[in-house]
Amino acid sequence: MTEFSGKVAAITGGASGIGLAIARKLVALGGSVVLGDIDDEKLENAATELGGNALTVRCDTSDLASVEAFAEAAFGWQGRVDLLLNNAGVGGVRGKLWEVDPEAARAHFDVNFWGVWNGCRTFAPRMIAQEHSSAIYNTGSENSFFCAVPQTAAYIAAKHAVLGMTESFREDLPEHVHAGLIIPGWVFTPLGEERFMKFGMDVADYAEIVVPQLLANERFVVSHSYNTVRVNERIDALNAAYEQYASRQDGDEAHDVRTVLAALTQKRS
């Protein structure tokens, strides 16, 4: 997709923050949006703001049945969905890992991981059946690649999991349905306390950066350039470990899963 006029996006967590900012931009580009959220008041405000270009639906992404109802409403509205943003998320459970209530961590995963899974599971078959080009994007985080905020193990683990799930999911899809990962850095949203979040990037500025990437079907949708410093800190340490203890040598591809599977597949064909 290179433009959005006449197209429809479904966005979970769409009544505030990044979801609403992207919705505003897509509507400005001539598109329509279906916004799912658990906050009735924010849904009502979004509907008032965006008017006939938006359909709002109460959706709890941690509940598969609720996501299925959201999908039914989205496809039933204009008969198509061209872009799905599995964007709904909650802030992390704070504290040292051994001090965090395991049930609170599981509840966190229900939204930040399983909510994304539910969206992919529910929308993918319908978008495949449409046959025209479409895209599914999952909202990860800079925390999908490094630990930006200390003592948020559940949040960081969930965002790492969304990265891995998205990379696997994209290989399951046919060519006409793209999948990618949105990687927000620090953006001023309601995800955390305002006294802290206010130092993040303005959400409207963020939408201006990322929407062109969404419409270009980029694999990774990026924004905060300093993230590369943090990402490279991890990659450099990883490469150093391999160089010292498991450096490349002739024939080492013999135990590479992708190489072996490709060879076996070629033999069978």
Side-chain angles (χ1 to χ4, degrees), residues 7 16 19 61 65 69 80 85 88 91 163 191-192 196 210 233-234 247 254:
K7 295 181 178 179
S16 65
T61 59
R80 64 188 293 156
L85 303 184
L163 164 64
L191 194 65
F196 176 74
V210 301
E233 286 175 354
R234 172 181 285 184
S247 59

Side-chain angles (χ1 to χ4, degrees), residues 8-10 34 71 74-75 79-84 123 127 130 132-135:
V8 179
V34 185
F75 282 94
R80 64 188 293 156
V81 172
D82 301 277
L83 175 63
L84 168 66
F123 276 80
M127 295 176 79
Q130 290 180 132
H132 66 258
S133 295
S134 59

